Amino acid sequence: MTGTRVASAPPTVPAARVPRRRGAELALLVLAVLLCVYGYCAVGLARHGSVPPGAAGYGAGLGLLALLAHLAVRLRAPYADPLPLPIAVLLNGLGLVLIYRLDLETPHDEAAPAQLIWSTAGVALFITVVLLLRDHRLLQRYAYVSVVAALALMIVPIFFPAVNGARIWIRFGGLSIQPGEFAKVLLAVFFASYLAANRGALAGAGRTVLRFTRLHLPTGRVLGPVVAIWLLSVGVLVLERDLGTSLLFFGLFVTLLYVATGRTGWIAVGLLLAALGAYAVGSFEPHVHGRVQDWLDPFASIDAGAGPNQLAQSLFAFAAGGMLGAGLGSGHSILIGFAAKSDFILATAGEELGLAGLCAVFVLYALLVERGYRAGLDVRDPFGQLLAIGLATIIALQVFVIAGGVMGLIPLTGMAMPFLAQGGSSVVTNWIIVALLIRVSDSARGRLAAREGG
Amino acid sequence: MTRHIRHAAVLCALLLAALLVNAVRVQLVEAGSLETNPANRRVPIARFGQPRGDILVDGRPVTGSKDTGEQLRYERTYANGPLYAPVTGFASQVYGTSLLEEAEDGLLSGTDPMLAPLPLWNDLTRARSPGGEVRTTIRAAVQRAAFSGLGGKRGAVAALEPSTGKILALVSAPSYDPERLSGTGSAVADSWAELNRAREKPMLNRAIRRTYPPGSTFKVVTAAAALDSGTVTDLDAPTRSPDPYTLPGTRTRLTNEGDGCADASLRQAFQWSCNTVFAKLGVDTGLEPMVRTARNFGFNDADLRIPSAVARSNFDTSLDKAQLALSAIGQYDTRATPLQMAMVSAAVANGGSVRAPHLVDRTTTDDGDLVATTGQRTLRQAMHPATAMRLRELMTDVVEKGTGANAAIPGVVVGGKTGTAQHGVDNNGTPYAWFISWAQAPGDIEPSVAVAVVIEDAAADRGDISGGGSAAPIARAVMEAALKAAADADGGP
């Protein structure tokens, strides 16, 4: 199995001519922008009975960003998948609407303008990546640069003061940056590159698990760097008390290891490690222990007379949404208080758009992840495959961890809902992820086109 | 590798499925219990998100709403809080509601489905109707007369329209301003603590929620039982009662405040409030007829609502003869709310028929469309109409010639009965002064107002025979105001 390198042509691609589908992308972009402007107007109508004065500007701005991104794709990635860009624009625009809506409750603490600037920066980086990175395989050369940079980015915030119990921010000149967000992409590049180069050895080593003693050394030698990187990143994150990101890196690592080697033994070892780590951290680290307790009984603080905690407030918000939601601008998710615009942004979507709207949002994420996996299946080179799978998995895990957390499915860990949540570093990083997915999908489908054409 | 990618994709699909199932759990399955969780602020936010409907007296609102701009946006205000507190109660963000604010809460807060333009409309649109209005039966002039009559003395007044059961005045003193409990600040918590701690219990609605021994005013009930059962047939025949009267089976000798009670007729005994005569009369009438008549007047009824619940007035159902003798003069375990004694007076005034007392005339939507009217209904026939006629005669005598002279109104037929109720260990507490009465304006075919007044701390003068001194003048002022209000209403536009 591990030797299978032939990526079968997807049945959706006609043999005669590979369509570029840029027109479909443009149409979807127009739809996405219109949906966002509609949401923006709905908030104003619900709150003040009039269309907000900034609606035209907001629509024009978002439309312009989408158009520029589209032109960049049309120019340099003509065969790219037409879905990721409209999905990203829609989610980003919806996030801006939700943050703007929550800003109305906190007139002295507006987050939407900054988020708009960060979104612009994100699209600018998207365009830069699409224009400058002609072939994703170039990244393979920078595997070790990536990992060093990733570690540096993760270590730097330790020297800055903790914010709300987590040392994951750098603050200077009024800007606060979460370097760990960028580290995600860099680590994905490193894992993909390293595993692509060593997967043969790793797959072989995997067999030795059964005969543990005799072939112990090669296993350690091959796996050593990877495990070391993983331990280091997890260690840094435990020091920074950012359990969510730690969980994300571990999930990414195990997934890519499995995809590269096909050895379920690694999964077993990985899950065992994860279980041990989770148990240890959950038992001994007070911050995380509290989160686990909250998850087990979200209403304990109410019974204790201390009022509902954030998770309980979040559940109240989702429940208030019901099937169809209260309508944009008509909910009370601001009761969640701190982090209502960032970690808990999904609660606002749940309350005001209802189960219907929430499922739509989940499906958008699922589509984005699916397109990433599609690109991974279609592209030929192992690095490209692992990179696409890695990036898509980052989105999938991130959505699961934070959405599951705020809805009481798993213990809550602070993490940004991709594109929706307030947080500049996160938005910029997600735009880079989409840009890389676009690049990989362009290679996958462009290769088919070249073969058909030649 | 393709196969492993597909496996990983399946894992992602499983994660998505878990999220979707969990979303259904939170947003649909458990939504009901989450929405009604007492810690969920959405319920009070919606509740106080619009102005509360008003309570009206004489067509004018005595309540209001103030936009605070805070999370719980609208606070209740009261135009004349202490005067109407025993009617309206309070509506607090923190401490809930009481009295009419509680009984009509659904209508006032806009959740009453009857306010919706169409059935299930609000369920579909997730909207809330504007709060409706509650029009009370209270007459402002009567209420004011009762309130200023009590003048802060601990006590209560209840006034009824005998023919309909409309409550014209409901006053309890000392009172409080319910507006102090509106809002959320620490001042509200302080007010709440202070009002609850106060020795005089200003938040207690003495007119409907407190029972007192009715003392001699209960002799109306005893007389009705005696006349209805045929124990007495002639008001002017001697009753062969000794003075003092030794309670059956004991050596306790019951005496009177005044003389002339030995062997007095029922008319004389009623006029001078002879304890000896009525104690013996109760025993002669017997337990079963006494209990039946008391029950028909409204005693032992725990379910009376006006629409707020009224405390149960008590007449014991199993008594020995000595206890029955004391119970028949409104002592022992006999207890009554001021409203109950007003009902007794009203029954006499209304030919023996007890009309259901009620505070709400009708409810409307915010723009005046009728939601509901309180139907006038008869609770029970307390006594034979002929008995009622004879009791009217007896009560008129009390005011014209007896202990109730202070209630007399020139040119008006007034009937009344005084009462002094001993209480406390060995009866050493300050006696409660009672007066119950009714008044019939000249030219009217029947009395148009019935009143009960009780004063807890009547000047500690036991010589003041049975409430005639302190309670009767208040009753007179209330009756005068009621007669004038009725005349104005008839003659007015």
Side-chain angles (χ1 to χ4, degrees):
Chain A
M1 269 300 106
T2 51
T4 310
R5 285 180 180 233
V6 179
S8 55
T12 51
V13 179
R17 197 178 67 86
V18 177
R20 296 185 173 186
R21 299 218 169 116
R22 295 278 64 84
E25 183 182 76
L26 187 60
L28 287 172
L29 278 173
V30 170
L31 188 65
V33 171
L34 285 180
L35 270 174
C36 294
V37 173
Y38 171 76
Y40 193 78
C41 295
V43 172
L45 285 169
R47 303 289 298 199
H48 309 297
S50 62
V51 173
Y58 168 77
L62 196 65
L64 185 68
L65 288 178
L67 188 67
L68 289 175
H70 170 73
L71 289 177
V73 172
R74 195 175 268 264
L75 188 66
R76 285 293 164 83
Y79 291 99
D81 193 323
L83 273 179
L85 182 59
I87 291 174
V89 168
L90 181 52
L91 287 171
N92 199 160
L94 179 62
L96 284 167
V97 167
L98 293 177
I99 292 167
Y100 161 74
R101 178 259 167 282
L102 289 170
D103 278 349
L104 296 178
E105 309 280 352
T106 57
H108 305 298
D109 177 24
E110 291 203 338
Q115 185 74 358
L116 190 58
I117 292 171
W118 280 111
S119 304
T120 311
V123 174
L125 265 175
F126 170 90
I127 294 169
T128 312
V129 169
V130 171
L131 290 183
L132 296 186
L133 182 69
R134 306 298 294 272
D135 189 335
H136 62 268
R137 278 167 295 189
L138 283 172
L139 293 174
Q140 204 166 0
R141 294 182 203 159
Y142 301 108
Y144 286 91
V145 176
S146 296
V147 74
V148 170
L151 286 179
L153 284 172
M154 282 191 287
I155 288 168
V156 169
I158 293 179
F159 304 107
F160 284 78
V163 179
N164 306 313
R167 292 178 189 275
I168 52 176
W169 275 277
I170 300 179
R171 289 184 180 227
F172 56 87
L175 280 179
S176 54
I177 295 172
Q178 233 176 307
E181 292 284 341
F182 303 108
K184 283 175 203 163
V185 183
L186 295 171
L187 275 183
V189 168
F190 167 71
F191 285 152
S193 164
Y194 183 84
L195 290 171
N198 296 291
R199 64 199 193 94
L202 287 169
R207 252 179 247 119
T208 65
V209 170
L210 295 173
R211 283 171 290 161
F212 206 64
T213 44
R214 201 161 68 85
L215 285 170
H216 183 252
L217 201 61
T219 310
R221 199 165 58 199
V222 175
L223 256 189
V226 179
V227 172
I229 296 301
W230 172 74
L231 278 179
L232 207 56
S233 65
V234 168
V236 165
L237 289 166
V238 168
L239 283 179
E240 295 174 358
R241 297 201 195 146
D242 185 1
L243 188 77
T245 311
S246 170
L247 212 62
L248 174 64
F249 284 172
F250 184 72
L252 174 66
F253 172 70
V254 171
T255 307
L256 287 184
L257 196 57
Y258 171 74
V259 169
T261 66
R263 287 292 143 204
T264 45
W266 291 131
I267 303 279
V269 172
L271 287 181
L272 191 70
L273 271 175
L276 282 176
Y279 179 77
V281 176
S283 305
F284 302 118
E285 213 288 314
H287 184 66
V288 178
H289 182 69
R291 292 288 176 82
V292 173
Q293 291 301 318
D294 287 348
W295 170 63
L296 290 173
D297 184 5
F299 306 115
S301 66
I302 297 171
D303 299 336
N309 59 23
Q310 276 186 302
L311 180 57
Q313 288 284 20
S314 173
L315 292 174
F316 290 161
F318 281 106
M323 178 58 93
L324 294 175
L328 278 170
S330 303
H332 298 285
S333 53
I334 197 68
L335 289 169
I336 293 167
F338 166 71
K341 297 174 194 173
S342 49
D343 292 3
F344 287 93
I345 190 87
L346 199 65
T348 302
E351 175 164 11
E352 306 200 342
L353 303 177
L355 180 63
L358 191 65
C359 288
V361 170
F362 284 152
V363 167
L364 283 178
Y365 283 118
L367 265 179
L368 190 57
V369 172
E370 192 268 338
R371 295 327 290 173
Y373 270 74
R374 186 82 257 162
L377 285 168
D378 289 351
V379 78
R380 278 198 72 136
D381 67 295
F383 170 71
Q385 287 182 314
L386 288 168
L387 182 65
I389 302 304
L391 295 173
T393 305
I394 285 177
I395 295 173
L397 288 178
Q398 205 164 332
V399 168
F400 178 76
V401 166
I402 185 61
V406 297
M407 299 189 77
L409 181 61
I410 56 173
L412 181 64
T413 52
M415 193 174 266
M417 200 73 199
F419 289 112
L420 284 189
Q422 175 198 7
S425 317
S426 168
V427 165
V428 168
T429 306
N430 287 315
W431 274 112
I432 295 174
I433 290 176
V434 172
L436 292 175
L437 287 179
I438 292 266
R439 173 50 64 214
V440 175
S441 75
D442 178 58
S443 312
R445 299 173 78 240
R447 177 182 54 78
L448 292 174
R451 196 172 60 191
E452 299 300 331
Chain B
M1 209 149 79
T2 305
R3 215 185 64 156
H4 306 138
I5 292 176
R6 291 187 192 281
H7 288 168
V10 168
L11 175 75
C12 290
L14 285 177
L15 295 183
L16 173 71
L19 285 181
L20 292 177
V21 170
N22 187 53
V24 170
R25 172 184 75 92
V26 174
Q27 297 204 268
L28 297 184
V29 179
E30 292 180 4
S33 68
L34 288 168
E35 278 178 338
T36 53
N37 188 307
N40 192 341
R41 297 277 281 172
R42 280 167 185 77
V43 174
I45 285 173
R47 175 184 170 82
F48 296 108
Q50 65 179 26
R52 190 171 169 83
D54 282 323
I55 297 173
L56 281 72
V57 170
D58 280 349
R60 275 190 288 276
V62 296
T63 58
S65 274
K66 179 173 70 180
D67 185 354
T68 62
E70 289 165 15
Q71 191 184 52
L72 304 182
R73 198 163 153 193
Y74 286 94
E75 284 182 12
R76 194 55 142 172
T77 61
Y78 294 88
N80 201 335
L83 175 60
Y84 292 109
V87 177
T88 60
F90 59 80
S92 167
Q93 262 86 338
V94 188
Y95 300 105
T97 52
S98 70
L99 300 176
L100 264 191
E101 296 272 27
E102 179 186 36
E104 296 289 350
D105 187 59
L107 185 104
L108 293 168
S109 62
T111 54
D112 190 329
M114 294 297 289
L115 292 171
L118 295 168
L120 298 177
W121 177 257
N122 287 355
D123 297 308
L124 286 173
T125 60
R126 303 188 69 151
R128 179 183 276 248
S129 304
E133 291 185 338
V134 175
R135 291 169 184 269
T136 65
T137 57
I138 296 287
R139 306 306 300 260
V142 184
Q143 181 84 0
R144 270 197 302 272
F147 186 78
S148 58
L150 280 174
K153 284 198 286 279
R154 270 189 290 162
V157 176
L160 293 168
E161 189 173 78
S163 59
T164 59
K166 286 181 179 175
I167 297 176
L168 304 175
L170 202 64
V171 169
S172 173
S175 191
Y176 70 105
D177 189 350
E179 196 167 317
R180 293 174 63 192
L181 299 176
S182 299
T184 51
S186 62
V188 172
D190 293 345
S191 297
W192 177 256
E194 183 201 317
L195 289 171
N196 275 297
R197 207 170 44 228
R199 222 168 50 83
E200 296 175 323
K201 295 193 171 56
M203 285 201 293
L204 173 64
N205 188 339
R206 292 170 158 81
I208 60 169
R209 293 280 168 89
R210 170 143 198 209
T211 59
Y212 299 87
S216 300
T217 56
F218 192 75
K219 287 168 185 166
V220 175
V221 179
T222 305
L227 289 167
D228 260 7
S229 65
T231 311
V232 175
T233 48
D234 184 353
L235 295 182
D236 297 304
T239 51
R240 294 194 297 279
S241 313
D243 180 10
Y245 172 65
T246 306
L247 297 179
T250 71
R251 294 184 180 183
T252 308
R253 283 147 58 95
L254 193 65
T255 59
N256 295 301
E257 302 278 348
D259 298 329
C261 285
D263 206 22
S265 68
L266 185 60
R267 188 189 300 276
Q268 286 170 318
F270 197 88
Q271 194 172 319
W272 296 107
S273 201
C274 294
N275 287 341
T276 49
V277 175
F278 277 92
K280 177 169 178 295
L281 198 55
V283 176
D284 291 350
T285 304
L287 179 63
E288 197 272 329
M290 281 294 292
V291 168
R292 188 173 60 230
T293 303
R295 187 174 282 148
N296 286 340
F297 272 101
F299 284 79
N300 297 348
D301 177 2
D303 301 324
L304 181 61
R305 307 190 73 89
I306 63 165
S308 309
V310 178
R312 177 182 180 275
S313 298
N314 181 64
F315 185 83
D316 277 355
T317 52
S318 86
L319 297 163
D320 65 25
K321 285 191 169 174
Q323 291 163 344
L324 177 58
L326 287 173
S327 297
I329 57 168
Q331 299 285 347
Y332 192 59
D333 278 344
T334 308
R335 299 188 72 87
T337 59
L339 179 69
Q340 173 61 61
M341 292 320 292
M343 287 160 68
V344 168
S345 178
V348 173
N350 193 42
S353 155
V354 182
R355 306 292 264 170
H358 57 276
L359 259 180
V360 177
D361 186 42
R362 60 185 189 276
T363 51
T364 66
T365 63
D366 67 316
D367 45 12
D369 293 339
L370 187 68
V371 173
T373 49
T374 307
Q376 289 160 12
R377 60 196 178 91
T378 301
L379 280 182
R380 280 168 291 262
Q381 185 72 24
M383 60 196 135
H384 198 275
T387 303
M389 286 310 294
R390 295 164 90 178
L391 272 170
R392 272 164 78 162
E393 213 177 296
L394 294 181
M395 289 179 75
T396 312
D397 285 351
V398 169
V399 174
E400 285 178 358
K401 307 173 205 164
T403 54
N406 280 336
I409 304 169
V412 175
V413 182
V414 177
K417 181 70 196 80
T418 54
T420 312
Q422 312 289 339
H423 68 104
V425 180
D426 296 333
N427 290 341
N428 61 1
T430 308
Y432 300 129
W434 277 97
F435 194 75
I436 65 172
S437 64
W438 46 262
Q440 180 176 351
D444 282 2
I445 52 164
E446 56 185 356
S448 56
V449 58
V451 184
V453 177
V454 66
I455 296 174
E456 292 181 21
D457 48 2
D461 173 15
R462 296 204 182 200
D464 161 26
I465 291 182
S466 357
S470 46
I474 299 173
R476 185 184 61 215
V478 171
M479 289 185 294
E480 280 174 334
L483 293 175
K484 184 163 186 305
D488 290 351
D490 287 346

